[in-house]
Amino acid sequence: MWIFGWKGPSGFSARSTAEEVTQGIDGTGLTAIVTGASSGLGLETTRVLALRGVHVVMAVRNTDAGRNVKEEILKEIPTAKIDVMELDLSSMASVRKFASEYKSSGRPLHILINNAGIMATPFMLSKDNIEMQFATNHLGHFLLTNLLLETMKKTTEESNKEGRIVNLSSEAHRFAYTEGIRFDKINDESGYTSIYAYGQSKLANILHANELTRCLKAEGINITANSLHPGSIVTNLLRHHSYINAIAGFFGRLMLKNVQQGAATECYVALHPQVKGISGEYFMDSNKADPTPQAKDAELAKKLWDFSVSLTDPK
């Protein structure tokens, strides 16, 4: 329905851009980490957060590309506060190194945007021998969030400001495997379907935010965790499917969001006062949306949490 620009209860629509949904918001004094910040939605999110005064730490695999992005943003916004740090979410060692260096830096952390992702890749295993899409899209962010949670709690207590964790999911969570999460078949190459595996990882992003919400509420911690669908956007995520990517590029101008519109919902959930105190929700087009019943399954969320802990346990 976005082509009609219909606005939801928030006052924004699928046509709204990241700049529009953050207009008038002062993020001065806030520090955010954005994963996958050197291209696509992560780049635009970094730019807009910096425009609003947020100190942004770009967590990227390619630090040279990250530094180039930083320089381009500084040309547009000379007052921008941006740092670049290396992070490969498919490697638990890299995630641990990033978290250790971040904590050693003494920086506060108000906002964590788990934005990075890969889509519909051929079957392959991560450095930790876990199916790559599940490892990168879910498990790396799960470990990163857990390792930085104490820093966020400390920041929240000292600043008296709400912390926000934002998981980039997708409507593709509706196209996961039938059982949702294939706990016993995560690395089963014979039953692997790239699109279903992507849907599984995006379902995991929602379940992660929901179970994290339950844990944080139980502790009485002033940190929220939400997930979102950015919209259908032509980025380089589909580079492993050149035919589909070509079709998407051809029809993109008519049917799909641009990157400025695609980054709107994550910027909205990360910064907007309307989202204060809201946790465990799924957003789309800068409004609350309804995910699948599977995505709202509390038992499945808890099972995934325990499974993820076991996989990320250094032993």
Side-chain angles (χ1 to χ4, degrees), residues 31 55 57 83 85 98-110 148 151 154-155 158:
T31 301
H55 179 180
V57 177
D83 292 315
M85 292 180 64
F98 174 92
S100 176
E101 290 178 353
Y102 191 91
K103 288 186 279 190
S104 296
S105 74
R107 294 184 187 93
L109 181 59
H110 303 87
L148 293 174
T151 300
K154 182 182 177 185
T155 299
E158 291 179 351

Side-chain angles (χ1 to χ4, degrees), residues 145-157:
T145 303
N146 279 3
L147 292 174
L148 293 174
L149 207 50
E150 287 305 314
T151 300
M152 289 197 76
K153 289 177 182 178
K154 182 182 177 185
T155 299
T156 298
E157 291 168 2

Side-chain angles (χ1 to χ4, degrees), residues 216-233:
L216 292 168
K217 284 184 176 179
E219 289 185 55
I221 304 297
N222 188 26
I223 299 174
T224 62
N226 292 292
S227 55
L228 64 95
H229 169 60
S232 298
I233 302 146

Side-chain angles (χ1 to χ4, degrees), residues 120-154:
T121 62
F123 181 84
M124 62 183 88
L125 296 177
S126 71
K127 294 174 183 176
D128 304 292
N129 291 315
I130 298 165
E131 188 276 309
M132 187 62 85
Q133 293 192 82
F134 188 79
T136 303
N137 296 350
H138 166 64
L139 210 57
H141 283 130
F142 176 87
L143 179 59
L144 178 68
T145 303
N146 279 3
L147 292 174
L148 293 174
L149 207 50
E150 287 305 314
T151 300
M152 289 197 76
K153 289 177 182 178
K154 182 182 177 185

Side-chain angles (χ1 to χ4, degrees), residues 250-265:
F250 181 76
F251 289 105
R253 293 194 188 103
L254 296 175
M255 300 175 65
L256 306 177
K257 289 185 179 184
N258 59 36
V259 172
Q260 291 75 26
Q261 293 165 333
T265 303

Side-chain angles (χ1 to χ4, degrees), residues 58-262:
M58 300 174 62
V60 297
R61 280 186 301 174
N62 186 330
T63 52
D64 287 338
R67 281 189 284 268
N68 288 339
V69 167
K70 174 184 175 179
E71 291 307 313
E72 287 303 310
I73 293 175
L74 284 171
K75 288 178 184 177
E76 178 193 349
I77 314 165
T79 57
K81 294 180 180 179
I82 300 174
D83 292 315
V84 179
M85 292 180 64
E86 184 176 357
L87 173 65
D88 179 356
L89 285 156
S90 70
S91 164
M92 292 188 213
S94 176
V95 174
R96 289 192 172 92
K97 182 173 182 286
F98 174 92
S100 176
E101 290 178 353
Y102 191 91
K103 288 186 279 190
S104 296
S105 74
R107 294 184 187 93
L109 181 59
H110 303 87
I111 302 166
L112 172 60
I113 302 181
N114 292 321
N115 166 85
I118 56 175
M119 181 179 182
T121 62
F123 181 84
M124 62 183 88
L125 296 177
S126 71
K127 294 174 183 176
D128 304 292
N129 291 315
I130 298 165
E131 188 276 309
M132 187 62 85
Q133 293 192 82
F134 188 79
T136 303
N137 296 350
H138 166 64
L139 210 57
H141 283 130
F142 176 87
L143 179 59
L144 178 68
T145 303
N146 279 3
L147 292 174
L148 293 174
L149 207 50
E150 287 305 314
T151 300
M152 289 197 76
K153 289 177 182 178
K154 182 182 177 185
T155 299
T156 298
E157 291 168 2
E158 291 179 351
S159 67
N160 199 30
K161 293 179 180 177
E162 178 183 79
R164 295 188 183 184
I165 297 167
V166 182
N167 282 0
L168 205 74
S169 180
S170 168
E171 280 290 272
H173 81 275
R174 300 181 187 278
F175 306 102
Y177 295 107
T178 304
E179 62 268 49
I181 309 294
R182 308 184 92 192
F183 295 105
D184 300 324
K185 299 179 181 178
I186 283 295
N187 291 344
D188 180 15
E189 184 174 1
S190 64
Y192 180 82
T193 303
S194 62
I195 297 295
Y196 290 163
Y198 178 68
Q200 171 181 247
S201 71
K202 296 291 99 180
L203 173 62
N205 294 148
I206 302 175
L207 294 169
H208 172 216
N210 293 353
E211 179 62 13
L212 182 56
T213 290
R214 189 192 67 77
C215 295
L216 292 168
K217 284 184 176 179
E219 289 185 55
I221 304 297
N222 188 26
I223 299 174
T224 62
N226 292 292
S227 55
L228 64 95
H229 169 60
S232 298
I233 302 146
V234 176
T235 68
N236 64 352
L237 276 178
L238 278 166
R239 57 187 174 274
H240 296 285
H241 294 260
S242 57
Y243 179 69
I244 298 174
N245 208 25
I247 294 173
F250 181 76
F251 289 105
R253 293 194 188 103
L254 296 175
M255 300 175 65
L256 306 177
K257 289 185 179 184
N258 59 36
V259 172
Q260 291 75 26
Q261 293 165 333

